[in-house]
Amino acid sequence: MIARIFMISIFILNFISYSTAQEDAKKVLKNIQDKFSSIKDLSADLTQLVNDKVNLKGKVFYKKENNLRFEFDKMLIISDGETSWNYNKKQDKVIITDYENEGNKILSIRQIIYEYPEDCELKSFEFEGNKVLELIPKDDSFSFNSVKLFIDSENLITKVLVDDPATGTIQIDLSNYQLNKNLPDSYFQFSPPEGSQVLDLR
């Protein structure tokens, strides 16, 4: 009887602990979403590492709703929410796709913050004084095992860690945020340079 009561007590404590952790994770997510909702546009420095090796450095620009611009030394990726342009400067080649193309979905900041969490188990913990929100897919419909979002005191994402079974660990560091600077719509449009090779996959 004592052993049974002990086991029931352990179960209840674990359940309470799990429920509290879930509530904490939902609160962290809501704070991120509320912060993102208050932002009309932003820019930030971006560094991407794959398995601890830097492979991209540049800047990212965003404007509501799904306007995106990534500037790298040899590559430019632009989207106006309907069309995406991927320009390889070295090859002078442009690939045009619909924004809804599966390969472009990971570029959507809104999707990561608002849609992915609906199909993931959420966990939160602290790391070096900052909050971390972890998204773990509930099924195999996602290509990643988990995504960790590192959040600063202003609820801005400073680091993203993706556990990708095909690629390995993908880390994206974001810094030097500039918020609500009235970025022009023209910044999220692209006209292929004259003479460049254009591959339209729409």
Side-chain angles (χ1 to χ4, degrees), residues 66 68 70 79 84 97-113 115-116 141-144:
N66 275 318
L68 284 164
F70 294 88
S79 178
S84 294
T97 58
D98 287 324
Y99 176 76
E100 292 298 326
N101 181 282
E102 190 68 29
N104 293 325
K105 288 185 176 179
I106 193 64
L107 301 180
S108 173
I109 297 174
R110 286 189 59 83
Q111 194 154 24
I112 293 172
I113 295 175
E115 297 182 24
Y116 281 13
S141 59
F142 291 95
S143 62
F144 57 83

Side-chain angles (χ1 to χ4, degrees), residues 26-39 64 110-118 122 133 151 155 157:
K26 289 179 180 178
K27 183 178 179 180
V28 173
L29 175 63
K30 186 177 186 307
N31 289 340
I32 297 171
Q33 292 174 339
D34 288 347
K35 180 66 176 184
F36 187 73
S37 295
S38 72
I39 297 172
K64 284 185 174 178
R110 286 189 59 83
Q111 194 154 24
I112 293 172
I113 295 175
Y114 291 99
E115 297 182 24
Y116 281 13
E118 294 180 1
L122 304 179
L133 179 67
I151 318 301
N155 294 309
I157 298 171

Side-chain angles (χ1 to χ4, degrees), residues 50-89:
V50 177
N51 297 320
D52 297 324
K53 293 183 179 180
V54 176
N55 71 331
L56 287 174
K57 291 189 75 170
K59 292 186 73 70
V60 57
F61 302 83
Y62 163 82
K63 184 175 182 178
K64 284 185 174 178
E65 291 290 333
N66 275 318
N67 296 285
L68 284 164
R69 181 185 182 99
F70 294 88
E71 296 181 352
F72 303 111
D73 287 341
K74 300 178 181 179
M75 184 168 51
L76 187 63
I77 302 172
I78 296 175
S79 178
D80 63 1
E82 294 182 4
T83 303
S84 294
W85 298 268
N86 188 324
Y87 177 49
N88 187 308
K89 299 177 184 178

